[in-house]
Amino acid sequence: GAGVSQSPSNKVTEKGKDVELRCDPISGHTALYWYRQSLGQGLEFLIYFQGNSAPDKSGLPSDRFSAERTGGSVSTLTIQRTQQEDSAVYLCASSLTPGAHEQYFGPGTRLTVT
Amino acid sequence: LAKTTQPISMDSYEGQEVNITCSHNNIATNDYITWYQQFPSQGPRFIIQGYKTKVTNEVASLFIPADRKSSTLSLPRVSLSDTAVYYCLVLNNTDKLIFGTGTRLQVFP
């Protein structure tokens, strides 16, 4: 079946602009996760959704970052007033049940802030 | 969460067996040892998970000694396509994956 998909695959934006990153999880997966991978920081957790609610937002680096999930499916990660340090690959993952150790990752969105 | 330590990089040749060892000295009773693989420009992929002794699947084997303070991921007869970063994670009933720096495996012809 279809895996996790993310769009866009690449995004170049100017500093100060807002961006929206989209994630389509595997159908039927109740848990959805956002991670960020950058050269300096490795792969870091951002936020986790169980259904449409986000019990764990502990990884969001600042209040410029927000995310929502609707219909227990698609999720959008929004970064407001982007900064150069936001440049990274943003990865989305989903799992069948919350707390499952096997998470399925999408290909990521490469964000470049100029 | 238990901290893991693994080699930064390893080199191998096609056809050889590769063993990547991970140390997790403060692993807790309810922790599981999980390995992910990440190819360039892709998201990580779950490879294998175990609690104790030995686990084997079509991709790899995972060896865990009785004290569980370390584990070894074994890749039999590697090919060029096994060139990737391999992450060792120690997980309990957690909702997020905590990745370390991983081991960058380079397979040469």
Side-chain angles (χ1 to χ4, degrees):
Chain A
V4 176
S5 61
Q6 294 185 244
S7 60
S9 55
N10 281 284
K11 176 72 176 179
V12 180
T13 189
E14 291 181 353
K15 177 181 173 181
K17 295 285 181 65
D18 298 351
V19 295
E20 285 189 352
L21 311 180
R22 177 187 169 105
C23 171
D24 283 88
I26 294 174
S27 177
H29 280 197
T30 60
L32 185 147
Y33 315 79
W34 283 97
Y35 296 85
R36 177 170 74 172
Q37 188 166 33
S38 56
L39 284 177
Q41 299 296 325
L43 217 161
E44 56 178 335
F45 166 83
L46 297 178
I47 187 171
Y48 150 66
F49 285 92
Q50 180 175 334
N52 292 334
S53 64
D56 190 346
K57 306 178 183 180
S58 63
L60 294 178
S62 76
D63 58 7
R64 295 186 295 104
F65 288 71
S66 63
E68 65 174 12
R69 188 180 186 195
T70 55
S73 181
V74 173
S75 176
T76 303
L77 177 69
T78 302
I79 309 173
Q80 296 178 309
R81 305 181 302 282
T82 53
Q83 303 295 314
Q84 288 187 329
E85 61 263 28
D86 299 334
S87 295
V89 176
Y90 289 82
L91 292 158
C92 174
S94 69
S95 64
L96 187 60
T97 56
H101 296 162
E102 184 169 1
Q103 297 183 9
Y104 297 81
F105 282 79
T109 293
R110 180 174 297 278
L111 174 66
T112 303
V113 182
T114 61
Chain B
L1 296 172
K3 178 180 169 60
T4 61
T5 303
Q6 53 184 122
I8 293 175
S9 64
M10 293 181 69
D11 291 337
S12 183
Y13 292 92
E14 283 191 293
Q16 290 189 334
E17 178 184 81
V18 171
N19 296 308
I20 305 175
T21 297
C22 178
S23 297
H24 28 79
N25 291 317
N26 59 340
I27 190 170
T29 303
N30 58 346
D31 286 339
Y32 282 77
I33 299 152
T34 308
W35 286 79
Y36 275 75
Q37 173 192 55
Q38 186 176 24
F39 297 115
S41 301
Q42 294 187 26
R45 181 177 76 113
F46 174 94
I47 303 178
I48 198 167
Q49 181 181 76
Y51 185 81
K52 61 180 180 181
T53 62
K54 177 184 174 182
V55 179
T56 297
N57 62 21
E58 66 279 4
V59 176
S61 294
L62 180 59
F63 298 91
I64 305 167
D67 67 4
R68 305 198 329 122
K69 293 184 182 300
S70 67
S71 59
T72 299
L73 176 74
S74 181
L75 305 172
R77 300 177 298 282
V78 293
S79 63
L80 295 177
S81 62
D82 292 315
T83 293
V85 178
Y86 293 82
Y87 296 95
C88 167
L89 296 85
V90 174
L91 305 172
N92 53 24
N93 292 324
T94 181
D95 300 315
K96 58 193 176 190
L97 304 179
I98 305 296
F99 289 85
T101 54
T103 297
R104 186 172 299 276
L105 173 65
Q106 179 68 54
V107 180
F108 295 96

